[in-house]
Every structure is written in C-alpha cells, then in structure tokens.
C-alpha cells in the first residue's frame, strides 16, 4: 500500500475540511429536513474519491495509511452522522470481505465496493440472539445452494444496499463452529425487507429488519470455509473498525466543542459573554483535554495495528471505550453551555447530542469492550 506524501495529504485534508464545513452542512440540513439521505450524497462522496480512501492503490483505492485515513475520518465525523456512516462503512467493509475472498470474489465484490459501485450492508445483529457466537440465522445445504432462514435487525443501509454481508450458522452447529459469512443478494427470493422506524440520531440512513425463509444463496458466495463466519465478522476487520469508531467519537466531540466555544463567545448574560465566566471556561477546558486524550489513545491504537502488534485488539477496545465515554461527557457539557436553546430542534448541538448516543452501540457496547480488555489482561496475568 502506498501512502500520500505530506504535501498531497495536507491538500487532501484541507479539501475534506472544506467539504465538511461547506457542502457537508447543506447535506446535513437536507437530511434532517427530509429524514433521508439524498442519492446525490452517495454520488458526490464517490466522485470526490472519499469512499475509497483507505483501500490499497491496486484495488483502486487512494492507498492512504490507516493513520492518515483516521485524520480524515475525524473531519468527516464533524459532519452529519449519516454522512460519516457512509464514509466509515464504505472505507471499512471491503476489509472484512477481502480477508477470505477468492480472486473471483474479490473481482465481483471487493473492487466494485471500493469503486463505490456496490453497496454492502454488514448484517450481524439479530432480534432473538446475542451478537456473535450466539447467532441463530441458519443455513442448510442443497447441492450448490444454501437455504437461509432467520432474522436480522438494525441493519444500516439494509434496505438500500446491493448485498448483505450476512453471518449465519450451519443448522445444528453451536458457538463459533459452523458459522458462515455469505454475500447475499438484496433481491434474493424468500426474504422480507422491512424498513425500521426513524432512529433518535443518525437520521436519514435506512435500517432494515430482515426475515429469511429458505432464501437460496449460492455456496460460491460464501467467504472462507464453513466455520470461518465469525472470523470474517470479528477478525481482522473489527480492530481497525473499532479504532475508526473511536476516531468518529473524537470528530463528533470536536464539533460539539467548536459549537460550545462559539456560543460561549457570542452569548452575553449579565453584561459579559459566557466565556468570561470561569465555570463555563473550565467546562470548555475539560472538554479540550478529554478530546485530546481520546485522540492520542486512538492514534496509538492505530499505530500498533499498523505495526501488526499483538496488543492492537485490546487497545482498539480501550480506545473505543475511552472515546465513547469522552463523547458522552463532552456533548453533555457542550449542550449545557448552550442553555435551553440548545435543546431545541434545529440547533446543531441538539443534532450532535442525538448522533453521539448511537456511538455507544456501534462496533460493540462498552460492556463488550470491557469483556475484550479484561480477557486480554487476565490472560497476560496468568
Ligand atoms: C444506529 C445503529 C446502527 C446499527 N447498525 C448495524 C448494522 O449495520 N449491522 C449490524 O449487524 N448491527 C447494527 N447495529 C446493532 C448494534 O451493533 C447492536 O445494537 C450492538 O452490538 C448491541 O447489540 P444488541 O442491540 O443486540 O444489544 P443486546 O445484546 O440486546 O444487549 C443489551 C445490553 O446488554 C448488554 N449485554 C448483552 N450481552 C451481554 C453480556 N454477555 N455481558 C454483559 N453485558 C451484556 C449490552 O452491552 C447492552 O448494553 C446498529 C445499532 C444502531 C443503534
């Protein structure tokens, strides 16, 4: 993988920031108003090359290093959560497919996804089971075809995608054994796709509830072997993705802080701007320190992952845990600095506050991150 040199990367970062603060804000207004992501946003992001930043050059990507990509993701995350979601998912999901893809599968799924011509939804969560080894969606084999039955829900882009990257198990298997990762055509027979109601934040992105009843999926669309399903879902892809979500928290917190600093400078009470009150200035100072600490831990985790170090997995969970808790504190204080007007629909901090709450679920809850970290430190202690 190549890496943009310092000058060209700095130019790219300036372009991204100008996009986020200019057209990105216009998209944010439209998304909140219409409660849907305009098709034009996908096209615009694709045409600007923002959906292939993290992929290698020989896949048609920009070939940025992971830490360079994260610096751009911080900027995208200052925008509307749905815009960030498109950038994050498109720049990440190819990794998951690629790990086990055959050359033919790479041509069919990975390269068009990197080009922005194929939309893939990561389809793991189930309404009737825990995420991971507990999953219940199952397949039975009939010659060259799997027949897929079961339910998935909360699936981002699950209505508008071209393929579901879906995780199921061979019927009768338990735990990690017998799990399969399948590229399932959105228009397969035997599926009912129900768009889910509006979410609290991340508005405009569609989410699907899916019910499969013996839906036929070619065995050729399986990534890896039977038994590799959870490795595709949670293996090499999850660590960089968690680090990406941690950086998303940093970017969104930075936006909240910018809004709070601006408001504190402009709003005058009792003859002085809010920023002149020590109580308000200290809240902003705490936010600044909180954001920087999370940013540095996230970049540290990223560098360890780039270097192939064995502690990268635990560090990715630590970064996500710390960054998401930081985001909760920072957005709460930023809203408080705004006073009551910040609670009103139409004020940007109100949207940022709602969007921030979703980060507590993406790429695993805090409870799951703590489980991962605890497992590592207890194993190291033995
Ligand atoms: C906006 C949004 C978009 C999403 N997009 C996608 C998507 O595209 N694809 C996808 O597959 N999923 C998606 N999800 C689902 C998300 O990944 C899950 O919500 C998350 O992993 C938590 O799983 P759950 O909702 O099944 O919670 P549950 O498993 O029901 O857990 C409920 C609570 O109990 C805790 N808990 C559960 N099990 C344990 C345990 N063993 N030990 C301790 N605590 C436990 C959890 O931490 C959580 O706090 C999305 C969610 C949101 C909010």
């Amino acid at each position: 993988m190549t890496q943009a040199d310092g000058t060209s990367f700095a130019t790219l970062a300036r372009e991204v920031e100008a996009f986020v603060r200019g057209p990105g804000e216009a998209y944010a207004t439209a998304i909140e108003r219409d409660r849907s992501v305009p098709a034009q946003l996908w096209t615009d992001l694709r045409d600007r090359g923002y959906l292939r930043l993290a992929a290698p050059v020989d896949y048609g990507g920009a070939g940025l290093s992971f830490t360079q990509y994260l610096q751009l993701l911080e900027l995208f995350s200052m925008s509307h959560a749905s815009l960030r979601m498109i950038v994050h998912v498109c720049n990440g999901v190819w990794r998951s497919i690629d790990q086990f893809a055959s050359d033919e599968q790479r041509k069919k799924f990975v390269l068009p996804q990197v080009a922005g011509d194929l939309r893939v939804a990561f389809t793991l969560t189930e309404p009737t089971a825990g995420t991971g080894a507990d999953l219940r969606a199952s397949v039975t084999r009939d010659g060259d075809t799997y027949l897929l039955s079961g339910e998935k829900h909360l699936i981002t882009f699950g209505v508008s995608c071209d393929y579901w990257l879906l995780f199921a198990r061979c019927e009768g298997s338990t735990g990690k054994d017998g799990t399969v990762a399948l590229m399932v055509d959105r228009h397969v027979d035997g599926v009912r796709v129900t768009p889910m109601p509006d979410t609290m934040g991340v508005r405009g992105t569609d989410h699907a509830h899916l019910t499969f009843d013996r839906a036929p999926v070619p065995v050729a669309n399986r990534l890896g072997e039977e038994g590799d399903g959870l490795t595709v879902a949670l293996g090499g892809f999850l660590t960089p993705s968690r680090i990406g979500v941690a950086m998303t928290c940093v970017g969104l917190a930075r936006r909240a802080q910018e809004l709070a600093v601006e408001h504190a400078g402009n709003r005058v009470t009792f003859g002085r701007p809010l920023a002149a009150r020590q109580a308000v200035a200290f809240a902003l100072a705490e936010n600044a320190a909180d954001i920087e600490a999370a940013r540095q831990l996230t970049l540290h985790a990223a560098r360890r992952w780039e270097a192939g170090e064995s502690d990268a997995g635990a560090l990715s969970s630590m970064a996500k845990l710390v960054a998401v808790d930081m985001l909760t504190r920072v957005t709460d204080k930023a809203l408080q600095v705004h006073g009551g007007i910040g609670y009103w629909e139409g004020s940007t901090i109100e949207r940022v506050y709602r969007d921030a709450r979703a980060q507590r679920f993406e790429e695993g809850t805090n409870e799951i991150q703590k489980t991962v970290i605890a497992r590592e430190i207890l194993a190291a202690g033995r």
Side-chain angles (χ1 to χ4, degrees), residues 59 89-114 118-123 163-167 181-184 220-224 229 231-238:
Y59 284 18
V89 171
C90 291
N91 276 288
V93 79
W94 65 269
R95 254 187 245 283
S96 184
I97 308 169
D98 192 46
Q99 300 173 85
F100 285 93
S102 63
D103 286 347
E104 204 177 317
Q105 289 173 329
R106 190 164 291 112
K107 276 194 209 109
K108 188 171 176 191
F109 301 122
V110 178
L111 303 189
Q113 199 263 303
V114 169
L118 195 78
R119 208 176 290 180
V120 178
F122 189 85
T123 307
Y163 276 88
W164 296 294
L165 167 54
L166 184 142
F167 304 94
L182 301 171
M183 295 298 294
V184 181
N221 284 16
R222 188 188 69 218
L223 300 165
T231 311
V232 174
L234 310 173
F237 159 78
L238 194 66

Side-chain angles (χ1 to χ4, degrees), residues 85 122-126 129-131 153-157 199 202 207 358 361-368 371:
M85 183 73 96
F122 189 85
T123 307
L124 177 64
T125 307
E126 302 189 358
T131 305
H153 77 160
L154 319 182
I155 307 305
T156 305
F157 311 133
T199 37
V202 202
H207 295 93
F361 303 105
E362 198 174 347
E363 295 300 7
T365 57
N366 280 2
E367 293 73 24
I368 298 303
T371 307

Side-chain angles (χ1 to χ4, degrees), residues 169-186:
R169 66 169 60 261
C170 297
E171 199 171 66
S173 65
T174 52
K176 190 172 183 289
D177 295 342
T179 56
V180 285
L182 301 171
M183 295 298 294
V184 181
D185 192 317
R186 161 71 176 79

Side-chain angles (χ1 to χ4, degrees), residues 242 245-246 249 314 316-329 356-375:
R242 269 187 185 146
V245 173
C249 297
S316 75
S317 286
M318 290 183 203
K320 208 243 142 175
L321 176 69
V322 165
V324 90
D325 281 350
M326 171 281 292
L327 179 62
T328 303
R329 289 190 295 272
R357 193 60 180 83
Q359 299 304 321
R360 301 254 295 267
F361 303 105
E362 198 174 347
E363 295 300 7
T365 57
N366 280 2
E367 293 73 24
I368 298 303
Q369 310 307 339
K370 287 178 201 173
T371 307
V372 173
I373 299 164
R375 197 171 49 220

